[in-house]
Amino acid sequence: MASSNRAQFSSRLGFILAAAGSAVGLGNIWGFPTQAASNGGAVFLITYLVMVFILAYPLLVAELTIGRFGASNPIRSLISVAPKHKLLGSAVGIAGMLGVSGILSFYAIVAGWFFGFLIGPLLSAFGFDSAAAWLEGFGIARNLVLMGVFMLLTVLVVRNGVADGIEKWSTRLMPVLFVLFIAMVGYTLLQPGAMEGLKMFLVPDMSHFSPDLMVSAMGQAFFSLSIGVCTMMVYGSYLRKDANLPKTAAQVALLDTGVAFVAGLLILPAMFVAQKNGVQIYSESGALLDGDTLVFSVLPAMFDTMGSAGLIVGVAFFALMVIAALTSSISMLEVPVACISEELDKDRKTVVWWVGGAIALFSSLIIFNFGSMFGTVISVTTEYVQPILGVIMALIAGWIWKRNEVLEELSHGNPELANSTFWKVWPTYVRVVCPILMALVFFWPLFK
Ligand code: PFF
């Protein structure tokens, strides 16, 4: 299947870091801890972990396997596993490409804000207070500029292709992220008030458990592992045949949940440290302030109370957010770029500018109509497009793709697979259990 000159990740570690880079992003570091904080802490953590392993992990294997088998862009890969259903394959590939472009269009706006909060304190440290205030305030021009800068960074990395762009930057940036993160957790846990947050995150209070919580935890697991919108499929297509897919997917899932867990160890204690320092984290009604308010007001307020170290910790935190966002956004942009450049046989260096430009244009539309579009695009892409395409991919892998081809593909890099427990369970699991579980995610809210 593979054309011999197709780009590949140059090492297994490079692939794992790139795929983990896609998975680890704003969703883990901010989305997960704030969801955990507002959904009972430890109970959300446990439900999320269960969802990752019973639902997201098996699907991650499916997406990666389809991608590696096809060794092409997602449209072609899907057609190659379902040759009698060309229309279905193309439709799912195109839907994934549009879905992931939609995700990138809001992601770039949010990542731009983080970029503003990274540069802002540095500018004010050098006396440029009004420029800093502009970057940290909410305005159309500021949103456009910051989104544009972030999209430009994404385009520049993706333009250089797989080994030289995506892999090089993911391998450099991911370890920096881990180190920065651990240092910040250590610092925060030593502050007064931190233990209260730690207790909330680690000691379960079952009274918080509800069906809604399960739905949120499932959604978070999907978003966090970048499932359903062909990102993992396109990365899988660049993966070498000697990699053991179930093992690689498990490593990626573990890294992703590991980072979400550490983010919880950072953010929940940090909230209570901030509260001890007089910062409001709960609204009058007793509910936690929402995610945006927390990250862009509570955390900088906490950094301020740290004296001169605060500037460094604050810059480190926002640098970390931008790094995490960038390794995710490059994986998103890769999907439409691979599809369009390969399907239309166009030079990737040209296509990347056109696609990046088109997505930036759509982001601008969202910025101009922020109130009506921002929340809608997030909800449509993450709550509907990701689960629906996820179900369809599970159905394709489980029902349409020939079982002997699946076995053969999974056996590359894992010759004993045919006799393993994984192979005894996984095919039926993605065929039956995953679609049922995912249908629940999708339909549950409709029956409330
Ligand atoms: N997994 C990323 C995060 O947690 O921030 C978001 C994401 C990346 C979603 C890539 C979808 C995607 F295709």
Side-chain angles (χ1 to χ4, degrees):
M1 271 288 158
S3 60
S4 54
N5 58 359
R6 188 175 164 76
Q8 281 195 334
F9 285 103
S10 69
S11 70
R12 282 205 35 208
L13 181 69
F15 173 81
I16 291 169
L17 289 179
S22 166
V24 174
L26 304 179
N28 301 61
I29 302 179
W30 191 249
F32 170 74
T34 35
Q35 286 229 45
S38 36
N39 284 297
V43 179
F44 188 84
L45 168 68
I46 295 166
T47 319
Y48 169 76
L49 291 178
V50 170
M51 290 305 160
V52 167
F53 290 100
I54 65 164
L55 184 62
Y57 168 71
L59 244 212
L60 178 60
V61 177
E63 246 194 90
L64 286 174
T65 314
I66 296 177
R68 193 175 68 173
F69 175 82
S72 185
N73 66 74
I75 300 179
R76 284 279 119 208
S77 296
L78 282 158
I79 293 178
S80 72
V81 299
K84 293 204 189 106
H85 303 82
K86 280 206 170 69
L87 202 64
L88 176 71
S90 328
V92 175
I94 291 171
M97 180 175 104
L98 294 176
V100 83
S101 306
I103 295 178
L104 182 53
S105 70
F106 75 76
Y107 210 82
I109 300 174
V110 181
W113 296 337
F114 283 100
F115 200 65
F117 275 81
L118 165 64
I119 309 291
L122 290 173
L123 286 178
S124 52
F126 289 100
F128 298 105
D129 284 326
S130 55
W134 184 78
L135 280 176
E136 294 175 10
F138 195 89
I140 290 186
R142 167 263 198 178
N143 284 349
L144 285 173
V145 169
L146 290 174
M147 175 276 292
V149 170
F150 185 78
M151 278 301 288
L152 190 68
L153 284 177
T154 308
V155 164
L156 291 177
V157 176
V158 175
R159 199 177 70 114
N160 286 335
V162 177
D164 223 30
I166 294 173
E167 179 176 352
K168 190 159 105 193
W169 283 98
S170 301
T171 342
R172 278 182 192 170
L173 296 179
M174 291 300 289
V176 177
L177 188 145
F178 294 137
V179 172
L180 268 174
F181 223 20
I182 301 287
M184 282 185 67
V185 171
Y187 181 88
T188 311
L189 287 181
L190 292 175
Q191 304 306 307
M195 286 308 133
E196 214 175 316
L198 195 64
K199 192 172 145 222
M200 177 179 181
F201 188 50
L202 296 179
V203 182
D205 170 0
M206 287 321 272
S207 66
H208 285 104
F209 189 80
S210 71
D212 274 357
L213 181 143
M214 275 180 71
V215 175
S216 314
M218 278 204 251
Q220 179 62 32
F222 258 85
F223 186 69
S224 194
L225 277 180
S226 315
I227 283 171
V229 280
C230 303
T231 316
M232 289 300 179
M233 198 178 287
V234 81
Y235 271 23
S237 76
Y238 303 127
L239 183 57
R240 297 182 337 182
K241 288 282 184 200
D242 60 4
N244 176 337
L245 282 167
K247 189 167 148 204
T248 308
Q251 286 163 331
V252 170
L254 279 173
L255 273 175
D256 185 62
T257 23
V259 173
F261 180 74
V262 179
L265 287 180
L266 172 68
I267 307 278
L268 276 84
M271 280 166 32
F272 288 88
V273 173
Q275 195 185 34
K276 267 257 169 347
N277 291 323
V279 177
Q280 190 190 357
I281 59 170
Y282 289 103
S283 67
E284 317 250 282
S285 65
L288 194 76
L289 295 179
D290 67 27
D292 289 358
T293 326
L294 275 174
V295 76
F296 297 115
S297 64
V298 169
L299 283 179
M302 183 183 93
F303 300 143
D304 280 348
T305 60
M306 292 176 181
S308 53
L311 176 66
I312 300 165
V313 178
V315 168
F317 176 79
F318 285 107
L320 194 134
M321 298 300 284
V322 173
I323 291 168
L326 190 63
T327 54
S328 297
S329 65
I330 56 184
S331 74
M332 298 183 211
L333 186 59
E334 179 60 21
V335 176
V337 167
C339 286
I340 294 172
S341 63
E342 290 182 17
E343 288 306 296
L344 304 181
D345 200 15
K346 292 267 181 286
D347 176 35
R348 101 179 253 126
K349 291 204 156 93
T350 318
V351 171
V352 81
W353 285 108
W354 283 104
V355 176
I359 296 173
L361 222 76
F362 190 66
S363 292
S364 313
L365 201 69
I366 300 179
I367 290 172
F368 280 112
N369 301 285
F370 197 83
S372 59
M373 283 184 77
F374 184 68
T376 315
V377 175
I378 294 182
S379 144
V380 168
T381 51
T382 64
E383 288 168 23
Y384 295 93
V385 175
Q386 285 196 288
I388 292 174
L389 292 181
V391 181
I392 299 177
M393 284 175 195
L395 294 174
I396 292 178
W399 294 92
I400 300 181
W401 193 4
K402 286 203 196 89
R403 191 64 66 92
N404 59 334
E405 283 183 1
V406 185
L407 176 62
E408 196 189 325
E409 186 56 45
L410 277 167
S411 298
H412 291 303
N414 187 1
E416 273 90 57
L417 182 98
N419 302 317
S420 65
T421 323
F422 179 87
W423 182 248
K424 290 197 182 88
V425 176
W426 183 83
T428 318
Y429 196 85
V430 282
R431 226 170 124 95
V432 184
V433 183
C434 282
I436 294 175
L437 284 176
M438 280 183 267
L440 281 178
V441 181
F442 188 51
F443 290 113
W444 205 318
L446 300 182
F447 290 105
K448 270 196 308 199

